[in-house]
Amino acid sequence: MKKVLPILSLVVASFTAAQAQSEDAAIKETLQNYIDGGATGDTASLNRAFYPTANLRSLANGRVTSTPVKEFIGRTPKGGANWTGRIVSYSYLGTAGSAVLEMQLDAFKFVDFLSLMKIGNDWKIVSRVFTRADKSQPITSVGGGKAAVTQKKSAAKPKPKSDDGW
């Protein structure tokens, strides 16, 4: 039994690592389908990247605009948008994820904040919020801190302790 437990632990760890690599590859493939599809005008790649009812939103004249993904893909220029895209970052857990992409054009860039979902075995972009920015403007990212913990409050008021520091 003592020999079986380490072997079982190794098998579980190997499976978990392989699954994480598989998820990483699947997410990157979805994001790359979007980047390449937009850059070259390949609407089939764009359709592979987006969920059919994905939301695409931005601001125009101070108002939130919404574009159906079918309309967005239909407006893809023949030959593509001639951008150079890159994955800035992505995160995921379970069936939910998010990503930040940057698409550089000649005079400006688009920055996309994407929501992803794993639907069946495929990762799909379900929401795109984007902005147009100067090419030199950096993306601000904050994270890596401790997660907040919310505690339930009980109905009864506890008696204060004299030594609890409060």
Side-chain angles (χ1 to χ4, degrees):
M1 181 68 176
K2 288 182 181 181
K3 291 181 181 180
V4 173
L5 197 54
I7 292 171
L8 183 59
S9 296
L10 183 61
V11 169
V12 169
S14 297
F15 175 75
T16 303
Q19 185 178 15
Q21 288 175 343
S22 174
E23 296 297 342
D24 284 345
I27 290 169
K28 287 178 185 176
E29 180 181 2
T30 295
L31 299 175
Q32 203 62 52
N33 277 333
Y34 169 43
I35 292 169
D36 294 345
T40 63
D42 181 0
T43 57
S45 289
L46 291 170
N47 278 307
R48 282 192 300 276
F50 283 93
Y51 188 69
T53 58
N55 298 321
L56 287 79
R57 298 184 188 259
S58 69
L59 280 177
N61 301 317
R63 301 185 129 197
V64 175
T65 65
S66 184
T67 304
V69 71
K70 287 181 182 182
E71 182 181 326
F72 168 73
I73 291 172
R75 289 192 321 218
T76 302
K78 299 288 183 211
N82 196 26
W83 66 35
T84 302
R86 74 180 182 99
I87 300 169
V88 175
S89 66
Y90 67 93
S91 305
Y92 66 93
L93 178 64
T95 60
S98 63
V100 178
L101 305 182
E102 183 179 77
M103 313 307 192
Q104 295 271 346
L105 288 101
D106 288 337
F108 62 92
K109 68 181 176 182
F110 286 113
V111 177
D112 293 357
F113 298 87
L114 307 173
S115 294
L116 301 124
M117 292 183 75
K118 186 175 184 182
I119 302 165
N121 292 324
D122 299 320
W123 283 92
K124 296 288 185 179
I125 300 167
V126 296
S127 180
R128 173 185 180 236
V129 176
F130 63 99
T131 191
R132 180 179 166 150
D134 292 333
K135 289 178 78 166
S136 62
Q137 192 172 356
I139 298 168
T140 302
S141 180
V142 179
K146 284 186 161 183
V149 177
T150 305
Q151 295 180 349
K152 293 182 181 179
K153 293 184 179 181
S154 64
K157 291 184 179 181
K159 292 182 181 180
K161 296 179 181 178
S162 61
D163 63 343
D164 69 356
W166 294 100

